[in-house]
Amino acid sequence: MSVRRVRYIIFLKDVLILSLTSFGGPTAHLALFLDMMVEKRGYLTEQDLIELHALCQILPGPTSTQTITAIGFKIGGPGLAYLTLLIWALPAMTIMISLGIMVNMFEELNVSLEFLKYIQPIAVGIVAYSAYKISSSVVSTRTGFFLMIISTMAAYIFRTPWAFPIMLLIGGFVTAFKYKNQPVEEKTTIKINWSNFILWISVLVFAAVLGGVTQYLPIRLFENFYRNGSLIFGGGQVLVPLLYTEFVEFKEYLTSEQFLSGYGFVQALPGPVFSFSAYVGTLSMRDTDTLQQILGGLMAAAGVFLPGTFFIFFVSRFWEDLKKYRMIKASLEGINAVSSGMVIAAAFLLFEPIPPSTLNYILILGTMCLMFFTRIPTPFIILTGLITGIILN
């Protein structure tokens, strides 16, 4: 067995360990990647990892997934990168598909899901806290604050899937004109390999046409999630308002209770928050048999993860040259501000279906306070709510 192949196997084993132990979202994931990939293994330097993570933060798609996939790409090319993506996402994805099947089975058997009642307000508290953290870290100017407020109101009022990409584009366009505030850097000629961009748009068009012709729900789910995965800036929290609007309010594939329960559960899992898509895809197929439900979950997960992978493969080849352009840097201010507004709107949207009771208000505020003032890991908060629901049910 060659030295290179042994190194690849060791790397994939490290990815599996991370997929089973990485709690806490992109920021916590970065610390774990630094420990495992840089300090213990030396796959890349600390500076390389920080820059790679920064690049993934400004591209559409799941930041942590793109970062670890890009490390695989850097070490062993596309083949190793795709294996990295699979191993990183598979554990959480499997659990969320299983959860979707279980929730559907319980409802078919008329088994009460009352034990999940505390998970729903806790999930709202988590989203509200995420909204605060994201907005406070990326919005620091008057223009950004104005865009955040406007996008919050727009996302709350215009509850259609197509409103979100338009808002992101407008936000980036507005702040692009502030390019003079960015430092001037010496530019070089950008050489672009368009293959992965062509692959991204080809898959999008093919899935849309095939789904429209066949009307086969798993293919339409793939296209829906592929489109959403192509538009998300800022990670799993920003995915929530898009999925809620499209699959709960617009298409009514899930109830708000099912959606919130699943989102609460995914917070207690290691790995990517985007694995929540597998749960939504599974329950979207709830009127079919178990194999079809599994297929729905797999198609949804594949749809949401692939665009970010294609983007990082595409951009990483010329990023060093591209980021020297001031309009590109300036536009990120607006994109991040609009993303923050979308998460704030999500907190309000998810709050609406929660039954108005003193206990639910206490759970929402209590969750926010625990996350603000303590270091209790999110999974423990979720599991406490679940266990309490089971005991008191």
Side-chain angles (χ1 to χ4, degrees):
M1 187 179 291
S2 67
V3 174
R4 178 180 295 179
R5 187 176 176 189
V6 170
R7 189 179 187 225
Y8 292 173
I9 292 172
I10 293 172
F11 172 76
L12 291 174
K13 184 196 74 175
D14 292 337
V15 172
L16 179 60
I17 292 171
L18 285 168
S19 73
L20 297 171
T21 57
S22 294
F23 293 92
T27 304
H29 293 175
L30 178 62
L32 293 168
F33 293 170
L34 185 64
D35 179 61
M36 175 72 81
M37 300 294 187
V38 176
E39 296 177 3
K40 289 184 179 177
R41 297 297 190 191
Y43 293 123
L44 69 173
T45 67
E46 181 175 345
Q47 185 62 31
D48 286 339
L49 178 61
I50 297 300
E51 288 186 0
L52 199 58
H53 187 259
L55 170 59
C56 294
Q57 283 184 307
I58 63 174
L59 289 175
T63 301
S64 299
T65 301
Q66 287 174 304
T67 301
I68 199 167
T69 303
I71 296 171
F73 184 79
K74 188 179 182 71
I75 293 171
L80 186 65
Y82 284 118
L83 284 173
T84 300
L85 170 64
L86 179 64
I87 291 173
W88 164 252
L90 192 59
M93 195 171 70
T94 302
I95 293 171
M96 292 308 291
I97 289 174
S98 302
L99 177 65
I101 293 172
M102 183 192 76
V103 168
N104 187 46
M105 190 179 301
F106 279 4
E107 292 191 344
E108 286 183 351
L109 296 173
N110 292 321
V111 175
S112 173
L113 297 178
E114 189 70 11
F115 66 92
L116 298 176
K117 64 183 178 181
Y118 299 133
I119 296 290
Q120 295 163 26
I122 288 174
V124 174
I126 292 170
V127 175
Y129 174 78
S130 298
Y132 169 78
K133 289 292 290 182
I134 291 173
S135 60
S136 62
S137 62
V138 303
V139 179
S140 58
T141 66
R142 289 183 179 179
T143 305
F145 184 78
F146 174 76
L147 286 172
M148 181 183 72
I149 296 300
I150 293 298
S151 63
T152 299
M153 293 188 293
Y156 185 80
I157 295 170
F158 301 108
R159 304 183 184 186
T160 60
W162 296 106
F164 298 103
I166 293 171
M167 289 158 53
L168 289 167
L169 289 172
I170 291 173
F173 180 78
V174 168
T175 58
F177 291 99
K178 297 174 64 179
Y179 68 92
K180 291 182 180 180
N181 296 337
Q182 302 294 327
V184 178
E185 296 186 47
E186 184 180 349
K187 303 180 184 69
T188 56
T189 303
I190 299 177
K191 296 179 180 179
I192 301 178
N193 182 334
W194 291 95
S195 58
N196 280 288
F197 182 82
I198 294 170
L199 180 60
W200 163 71
I201 200 163
S202 298
V203 172
L204 178 63
V205 172
F206 179 75
V209 171
L210 187 61
V213 170
T214 64
Q215 290 298 305
Y216 186 44
L217 186 53
I219 296 174
R220 285 162 45 210
L221 284 172
F222 176 86
E223 186 275 327
N224 292 159
F225 279 93
Y226 192 90
R227 172 168 34 83
N228 285 322
S230 300
L231 300 171
I232 296 301
F233 292 84
Q237 294 83 0
V238 184
L239 183 68
V240 172
L242 271 74
L243 296 190
Y244 187 85
T245 299
E246 180 159 359
F247 293 99
V248 177
E249 294 192 329
F250 190 65
K251 295 179 176 175
E252 298 183 347
Y253 288 166
L254 286 80
T255 65
S256 59
E257 292 80 9
Q258 291 171 334
F259 187 93
L260 281 169
S261 297
Y263 184 71
F265 267 111
V266 80
Q267 299 297 316
L269 298 180
V273 176
F274 271 52
S275 60
F276 178 52
S277 60
Y279 170 86
V280 176
T282 301
L283 275 177
S284 296
M285 301 285 294
R286 64 181 183 272
D287 294 330
T288 62
D289 59 38
T290 302
L291 286 178
Q292 289 286 304
Q293 291 173 45
I294 293 172
L295 178 62
L298 292 174
M299 294 292 274
V304 85
F305 281 117
L306 281 178
T309 304
F310 294 153
F311 282 132
I312 192 62
F313 288 177
F314 171 58
V315 176
S316 61
R317 292 184 168 100
F318 61 89
W319 169 241
E320 291 301 320
D321 297 324
L322 182 65
K323 68 182 180 181
K324 295 175 183 177
Y325 286 80
R326 293 188 292 170
M327 288 193 77
I328 297 297
K329 280 187 176 181
S331 66
L332 300 177
E333 177 190 343
I335 290 171
N336 287 332
V338 170
S339 295
S340 300
M342 287 163 59
V343 180
I344 295 171
F348 288 107
L349 287 170
L350 296 176
F351 177 76
E352 283 185 349
I354 297 293
S357 69
T358 302
L359 178 59
N360 284 336
Y361 297 149
I362 291 173
L363 286 171
I364 293 170
L365 293 174
T367 300
M368 293 176 65
C369 289
L370 286 174
M371 298 187 76
F372 268 116
F373 303 115
T374 74
R375 294 187 176 182
I376 299 175
T378 306
F380 285 104
I381 299 174
I382 295 293
L383 289 173
T384 300
L386 175 64
I387 292 169
T388 303
I390 293 172
I391 292 173
L392 300 181
N393 185 32

